[in-house]
Amino acid sequence: MAELPDDWEMVVGLEVHTELATATKLFCGCANAFGGEPNTNVCPVCLGLPGSLPVLNEKAVELAIRIGLALHCQIAPSVFARKNYFYPDQPKDYQISQYDKPINGIGHLDLPDGTRVLVERAHMEEDTGKTTHLGGTGRIHGADESIVDYNRAGVPLVEIVSGPDIRSAEQARRYAAELRSILIATGASDGRMEEGSMRVDANVSVRRGPDAPFGTRCEIKNLNSLRSVQRAIDHEALRQVMLLEDGQAIVQETRHWDEDAGRTQTLRSKEEAYDYRYFPEPDLVPLAPSDEQIDAIRASLPAMPAERRRTLVALMGEQATESQADQIASVVDQGIDRYVIAAAAAGVAAPLALARVANELAGALSDGGHLDEDTMVVLLQMEEAGEVSATQSKAVLADLVADGGGDPRAVAKTKGFEQMDAGALDAVLDAVIAENRDAWQRYVEGDDKLTGFFTGKVMAATKGQADGKAVNAGLRQRRG
Ligand code: ADP
Ligand code: MG
Ligand code: ZN
């Protein structure tokens, strides 16, 4: 992590756009789908053709409220407004957004380290289309031609605006990661940053220490990975410090992050900033969800990531190690913590369950496939009882997930994974030692590097059926 020189401190506030996981767009019946043939999910409403009228998508409102409740926001009566600006990806020449009366008011998000970040608002709006600039560098300047796809125009968004409470690029990345987990947990969004489902704008300023007034900020647009969030902010803060130390002033502007070059560039300055001329959308009525509606949505919210992490940490026994904490965060993020909970409830050692779920199961599921919790539990019990070795258990798991399920014992049997009894392992150990007298002598005298050599020989002799832990125990015992 880059450090700012001397007593400089950065101040960061994030604006996060998230696409809502609805079947249809915000104001029309067109499909809300990523990756379709360009300009196929369009109609007069989302193309802004004259005479068309918006009809609000109820599901989008429910998902927006889910996000608000998960972020402890005050849910309030809200008003849609027209935000006027001309850009080719915006067919109506205005965007329907919310302005002074957002659906979700003040709330907060707690980072895993306990830092509380204010959420200023989380309002609803529609997404724009997507322009692609051909020729030149891929940016509009110097392009030969620009083409536009309106499939995304009118897709429902919630924009979550944080307070200027973030003090490092690492913390900004953590905020974005936690927000992403929360969005996924609410079911409001799939959180896929690589598909643009979640996009981050970072406002960055610097000041001389925590008591100085806030400095002039720049806004970096459209960061589409957690890594970019962190790198862009680190870079931008350092750029500002160097300018200020050189006696220059920061000009408030919008900047673009160039991931390959690793730097930010001017996109537009404040002088060119739009005057959006907001006014209430005349074609939509104000939105006033009832208390009953809000309570029903609140009651339907599942446990949020922070609570689910705490549940798993408690299962680890005394204290979760740092690597277990990472595994816990990752399984919660992927929504596969339920396997660990099921295994622990069935008496499997929680650290073993966590390791297999965080590594092997997560990997297998991400390649496509499916597995029910009970099957995973049976396999873990087999491994724990020594019916299959760790290596064998991983191989059985890969097959089970690829096949979408099955009987772990039957799979182990077809793969020829028979349980190796202790007597058979003892015989193999003795034979391997007898065949490698010199190496064994050096091992006994303290050459620890030979552990791998002997383990490898035993594994080869048993065709990988020996349990690694039992082999190590047997070697240690014979070494004296
Ligand atoms: P705008 O309406 O121009 O977008 P806002 O006041 O709504 O401006 O702030 C937008 C974002 O900028 C918020 O996330 C806020 O926390 C952040 N922000 C405001 N002032 C600063 C500052 N001096 N340094 C860094 N971030 C800031
Ligand atoms: Mg803004
Ligand atoms: Zn449409």
Side-chain angles (χ1 to χ4, degrees):
M1 184 180 66
E3 287 285 333
L4 291 181
D6 300 332
D7 53 353
W8 289 101
E9 177 185 74
M10 70 170 87
V11 172
V12 178
L14 297 185
E15 295 168 273
V16 176
H17 285 92
T18 182
E19 289 180 355
L20 300 179
T22 53
T24 55
K25 293 186 180 181
L26 187 51
F27 300 117
C28 63
C30 292
N32 169 12
F34 176 80
E37 199 47 38
N39 298 307
T40 50
N41 297 326
V42 291
C43 75
V45 174
C46 57
L47 287 177
L49 299 185
S52 61
L53 287 172
V55 178
L56 182 60
N57 180 336
E58 242 187 284
K59 183 70 184 172
V61 175
E62 185 206 317
L63 295 182
I65 295 175
R66 287 176 86 77
I67 293 174
L69 290 172
L71 296 173
H72 313 277
C73 291
Q74 285 164 15
I75 316 296
S78 60
V79 172
F80 285 97
R82 288 189 184 180
K83 179 178 182 179
N84 299 279
Y85 64 98
F86 172 75
Y87 200 75
D89 63 9
Q90 173 110 275
K92 295 196 291 286
D93 284 356
Y94 61 82
Q95 176 187 26
I96 304 181
S97 181
Q98 295 184 320
Y99 184 47
D100 50 352
K101 294 193 172 69
I103 184 164
N104 299 306
I106 297 280
H108 64 261
L109 182 152
D110 290 328
L111 299 181
D113 71 1
T115 309
R116 176 160 292 187
V117 178
L118 180 81
V119 170
E120 292 180 354
R121 55 193 275 143
H123 63 266
M124 299 181 73
E125 61 187 25
E126 58 180 339
D127 209 344
T128 58
K130 200 169 164 39
T131 38
T132 305
H133 306 294
L134 302 174
T137 60
R139 312 254 328 268
I140 190 164
H141 300 287
D144 296 328
E145 52 186 334
S146 296
I147 51 177
V148 61
D149 173 11
Y150 291 118
N151 282 352
R152 202 181 67 183
V155 162
L157 295 177
V158 164
E159 178 177 348
I160 300 134
V161 182
S162 88
D165 297 346
I166 296 164
R167 292 292 174 271
S168 72
E170 161 74 11
Q171 207 175 42
R173 188 184 59 76
R174 282 181 195 279
Y175 170 90
E178 187 67 9
L179 179 55
R180 183 173 169 275
S181 305
I182 292 172
L183 293 172
I184 294 170
T186 59
S189 167
D190 62 23
R192 291 196 191 119
M193 295 186 78
E194 66 287 0
E195 290 184 1
S197 288
M198 179 176 144
R199 314 189 284 266
V200 179
D201 300 341
N203 297 271
V204 181
S205 64
V206 296
R207 59 175 171 174
R208 282 198 185 270
D211 300 322
F214 282 173
T216 302
R217 74 187 140 108
C218 290
E219 180 173 3
I220 316 165
K221 282 284 184 197
N222 276 332
L223 300 167
N224 58 9
S225 73
L226 295 177
R227 184 178 128 88
S228 302
V229 168
Q230 182 163 350
R231 287 182 71 208
I233 293 173
D234 260 334
H235 175 277
E236 175 60 19
L238 196 57
R239 184 189 73 88
Q240 293 182 11
V241 166
M242 286 180 345
L243 280 175
L244 292 168
E245 294 219 320
D246 191 39
Q248 301 186 49
I250 304 300
V251 184
Q252 184 172 345
E253 61 185 3
T254 306
R255 297 181 69 84
H256 161 80
W257 169 246
D258 183 335
E259 179 73 43
D260 296 327
R263 60 198 172 92
T264 62
Q265 296 163 345
T266 300
L267 209 56
R268 54 177 181 267
S269 70
K270 192 72 184 174
E271 286 79 67
E272 303 165 45
Y274 303 107
D275 171 4
Y276 293 122
R277 294 167 294 125
Y278 280 99
F279 62 87
E281 165 61 62
D283 294 333
L284 289 166
V285 295
L287 194 61
S290 68
D291 288 347
E292 292 76 46
Q293 205 179 345
I294 295 170
D295 289 343
I297 296 173
R298 184 181 281 115
S300 74
L301 277 180
M304 287 298 120
E307 186 187 334
R308 285 159 51 200
R309 284 195 299 264
R310 280 195 294 275
T311 304
L312 290 201
V313 168
L315 283 181
M316 288 310 126
E318 289 132 54
Q319 226 198 328
T321 63
E322 207 167 304
S323 83
Q324 284 174 340
D326 288 345
Q327 290 174 338
I328 287 172
S330 125
V331 301
V332 166
D333 250 17
Q334 297 170 76
I336 52 177
D337 44 333
R338 57 204 163 84
Y339 292 95
V340 183
I341 292 170
V348 174
L352 170 69
L354 176 64
R356 287 289 168 275
V357 171
N359 300 321
E360 286 74 30
L361 181 63
L365 290 174
S366 72
D367 291 340
H370 165 85
L371 194 67
D372 65 46
E373 289 141 45
D374 292 346
T375 309
M376 183 70 193
V377 170
V378 169
L379 178 62
L380 288 167
Q381 285 170 329
M382 287 165 62
E383 181 178 344
E384 200 164 49
E387 272 180 64
V388 286
S389 68
T391 315
Q392 292 171 340
S393 166
K394 292 173 191 178
V396 172
L397 180 59
D399 271 27
L400 288 170
V401 173
D403 295 345
D407 172 4
R409 285 200 170 80
V411 173
K413 194 153 185 202
T414 33
K415 293 181 100 59
F417 297 162
E418 298 291 335
Q419 182 179 7
M420 192 154 184
D421 67 49
L425 179 59
D426 278 339
V428 173
L429 278 166
D430 292 338
V432 165
I433 290 168
E435 286 158 18
N436 299 280
R437 271 285 150 215
D438 292 349
W440 181 254
Q441 192 55 37
R442 277 181 278 135
Y443 180 57
V444 171
E445 282 162 9
D447 189 350
D448 290 329
K449 287 196 296 295
L450 288 164
T451 311
F453 169 79
F454 281 107
T455 312
K457 289 275 178 205
V458 174
M459 285 300 180
T462 60
K463 299 195 177 62
Q465 283 182 31
D467 176 31
K469 272 198 249 81
V471 174
N472 275 330
L475 288 172
R476 235 181 294 120
Q477 188 202 349
R478 283 168 176 71
R479 192 184 190 184

